Amino acid sequence: MSRLRQTAAWQALEGHRVELDDTHLRELFAADPDRAKRLTLEVAGIHADLSKNLVTAETLELLLALARETGVAERREAMFRGERVNPTEDRPALHTALRMPRGESLVVDGVDLVAEVHEVLDRMAGFCRSVRSGAWLGHSGRPIRNVIHIGIGGSDLGPVMAYEALRHRASRELRIRFVSNVDGTDFSESVRDLDPAETLVIVSSKTFTTLETMANAGAARRWLLDSAGAEEAAVARHFVAISTNADEVAGFGIDTENRFGFWDWVGGRYSLDSAVGLSTMLAVGPEAFGELLAGMHELDLHFREAPAERNLPLLMGLLAVWYGDFLGAQTAAVLPYEQYLHRFPAYLQQLSMESNGKRVTLAGEPVEYQTAAILWGEPGTNGQHSFFQLLHQGTQPFPCDFIGFLETANPVGDQHDLLLANLFAQTEALAFGKTAEEIRAEGIPERLVAQQTFPGNRPSTTLLGHRLDPRTLGALIALYEHSVFTQAAVWQINPFDQWGVELGKQLAKRIAAELTAEQEPELSHDASTNRLIALRRQARQAGGSAAGRSR
Ligand code: F6P
């Protein structure tokens, strides 16, 4: 393929952007009374209103032409079929197989992956039923009341997000906590008030070698074995592992019966729907977990089969390309007006930025355009009282996704209407603003007119579900997964590897050895890093002598 910026569609979009420069959303809505209807899609129970985006019918046609010219549909098919779409790690990316219904089949290299997936799901369901019913007993014969899920990145963010999102459906009998940070505070605070005899530890790590996870798993093991009456055999009653690495799991001392496996074709940030979702299943039960998978699958089918001009993840991905590469937006916000989704932006940060924060193409050539935007967000209405000022009157417009639900699990007076009123109001204010004339007409003194003017023309997408149930959550997750995939396909990058995390890991390993060395190490970093290391070594030595003095 010719270089992306030289494609006919890209060039046409460049010209179109210039033509559109002076067009305001006010004019676009005034000129087309059907705009909201025309640009709204109903997909998998999600009412997706794209009408407040800075696009015309022509913009969308040109973006769809860009998708055609860059082969998005072909890459999508290759992914679904199980081709090796992750060439740098030489593997497929088949998270979509994790949610295919029982009885369907996807044969890759002679193996029916769907049958294998359901075999693990069935084992997970059996285990969860046993723990939830109280049949699974700890080493001293007591049932499990607490679950500590240890993992980081994709082995943590999906499970935390889903647990928080579905808390209203979760068993209140089980206390579920998540430990990810290598900062010992995370582990200590999480177990402070728990009894090891009633606690199940899930160690979740695809590789089972990740520094943070193995450090916390070791701490948890010591915590269990230091408790009264616990001997080595207790580990089998209190530890389960989720990993592709059977040898490391066995090496850690976890019974292989208690390992829930998955496959190298599941990327960490795409793994919630694999065994990595065990804590979610423990919380909400196997049936609700099945609904989550069904919602994802419904969105998969939509992405694969819906016509391009009504294909929601495709359009959302193309809009992200439009804002980043043609309108200069370096950032994008996701703003859930639903407290249960408070970890959704953090989850999406890994999904989007670890997938598409890339500077070379699949062919290893430097990209000549912007790739992933910096994604961030906080729940509404809280954000309105902090950073929304910049959304409305800052110098840089960027797209915002507003996510809400028509019904709430927690009706308190008329607060749900207040919540939705705020969501709708924000999208209206961002799009249409308030002109200087309107301000003057309110009798505002001239010296304040500029301060109080809202330019508007700030783009947003509204995603409204009926209520936040497992199925809708599944659909939302898959929606963003496929939007991220679409962006990567246009940009000709690999969204399934993450080499950019490696250098920091290597250096940390070396520096950790230098921080803890008995003998003064020969430091050969830059002057700044050498000084930082020296400071910590001094503090360690001083702490050691202080501890010695206090004994
Ligand atoms: O450091 C990044 C990363 O490799 C992520 O891609 C991954 O989700 C996370 O670390 C955890 O990896 P693992 O599941 O192997 O512990």
Side-chain angles (χ1 to χ4, degrees), residues 390-408:
L390 178 145
L391 265 55
H392 290 285
Q393 290 188 320
T395 50
Q396 288 223 333
F398 51 84
C400 300
D401 291 354
F402 287 83
I403 304 175
F405 297 88
L406 294 173
E407 287 180 11
T408 174

Side-chain angles (χ1 to χ4, degrees), residues 105-357:
S105 111
L106 178 70
V107 178
V108 176
D109 296 335
V111 179
D112 184 357
L113 303 184
V114 185
E116 289 196 354
V117 162
H118 280 273
E119 201 248 320
V120 176
L121 282 172
D122 289 344
R123 281 186 58 227
M124 289 165 64
F127 175 74
C128 289
R129 289 199 178 99
S130 155
V131 173
R132 285 165 63 89
S133 68
W136 180 281
L137 301 177
H139 72 95
S140 61
R142 308 227 306 262
I144 298 299
R145 298 194 197 288
N146 316 305
V147 176
I148 304 284
H149 174 112
I150 297 177
I152 198 164
S155 295
D156 166 72
L157 287 162
V160 183
M161 178 277 290
Y163 171 67
E164 293 293 335
L166 300 176
R167 233 186 153 123
H168 55 293
R169 294 281 297 263
S171 154
R172 303 282 177 175
E173 309 286 300
L174 277 181
R175 221 172 348 188
I176 303 195
R177 294 195 179 150
F178 296 84
V179 176
S180 53
N181 201 336
V182 74
D183 183 340
T185 300
D186 200 5
F187 177 75
S188 304
E189 286 294 342
S190 298
V191 300
R192 156 151 278 137
D193 53 346
L194 304 185
D195 181 346
E198 300 181 331
T199 303
L200 176 79
V201 178
I202 300 177
V203 185
S204 168
S205 173
K206 182 174 174 180
T207 54
F208 227 72
T209 55
T210 302
L211 171 99
E212 294 87 339
T213 302
M214 297 330 293
N216 281 319
R221 205 169 179 283
R222 288 193 296 279
W223 175 71
L224 169 70
L225 294 180
D226 286 350
S227 66
E231 290 165 2
E232 195 60 35
V235 173
R237 303 303 305 163
H238 291 271
F239 273 73
V240 298
I242 299 163
S243 185
T244 56
N245 191 340
D247 292 343
E248 288 288 338
V249 171
F252 185 85
I254 296 180
D255 194 337
T256 40
E257 287 289 298
N258 296 343
R259 181 180 78 91
F260 298 92
F262 57 114
W263 304 269
D264 71 353
W265 42 262
V266 183
R269 52 196 174 272
Y270 300 90
S271 67
L272 167 65
D273 42 345
S274 70
V276 170
L278 186 68
S279 54
T280 313
M281 195 193 265
L282 272 169
V284 300
E287 288 71 26
F289 193 77
E291 290 165 31
L292 179 90
L293 299 184
M296 292 176 132
H297 183 62
E298 189 174 353
L299 218 293
D300 293 342
L301 292 181
H302 167 82
F303 182 48
R304 201 170 183 186
E305 292 167 5
E309 60 287 356
R310 305 297 292 168
N311 193 312
L312 184 57
L314 178 75
L315 291 174
M316 282 177 60
L318 291 172
L319 284 171
V321 172
W322 171 239
Y323 289 121
D325 291 314
F326 298 93
L327 302 190
Q330 294 182 354
T331 171
V334 177
L335 308 161
Y337 277 60
E338 166 58 75
Q339 189 60 29
Y340 284 125
L341 282 183
H342 70 112
R343 294 294 287 162
F344 197 54
Y347 168 75
L348 292 183
Q349 282 181 324
Q350 187 198 17
L351 177 64
S352 176
M353 297 200 277
E354 198 173 75
S355 295
N356 287 347

Side-chain angles (χ1 to χ4, degrees), residues 47-111:
H47 173 98
D49 182 349
L50 307 181
S51 65
K52 293 190 182 101
N53 281 287
L54 302 178
V55 291
T56 63
E58 189 185 351
T59 324
L60 291 177
E61 273 167 33
L62 292 174
L63 286 169
L64 290 169
L66 182 67
R68 279 194 299 278
E69 225 177 314
T70 50
V72 174
E74 290 76 11
R75 284 197 73 194
R76 177 185 64 199
E77 277 315 294
M79 174 179 75
F80 274 101
R81 273 199 307 266
E83 287 176 29
R84 293 176 181 261
V85 290
N86 176 359
T88 61
E89 295 178 321
D90 191 25
R91 49 178 79 143
L94 270 173
H95 40 288
T96 49
L98 296 169
R99 49 255 194 167
M100 284 175 69
R102 191 186 297 279
E104 290 194 4
S105 111
L106 178 70
V107 178
V108 176
D109 296 335
V111 179

Side-chain angles (χ1 to χ4, degrees), residues 376-443:
W376 54 281
E378 277 289 317
T381 58
N382 296 8
Q384 291 175 205
H385 299 273
S386 64
F387 53 79
F388 270 49
Q389 163 65 38
L390 178 145
L391 265 55
H392 290 285
Q393 290 188 320
T395 50
Q396 288 223 333
F398 51 84
C400 300
D401 291 354
F402 287 83
I403 304 175
F405 297 88
L406 294 173
E407 287 180 11
T408 174
N410 296 299
V412 178
D414 60 0
Q415 285 186 214
H416 196 59
D417 285 310
L418 294 177
L419 177 71
L420 288 183
N422 273 278
L423 187 167
F424 302 158
Q426 290 299 327
T427 70
E428 184 178 7
L430 285 167
F432 302 106
K434 200 167 180 185
T435 62
E437 290 66 46
E438 287 167 332
I439 304 283
R440 284 192 190 100
E442 287 178 0

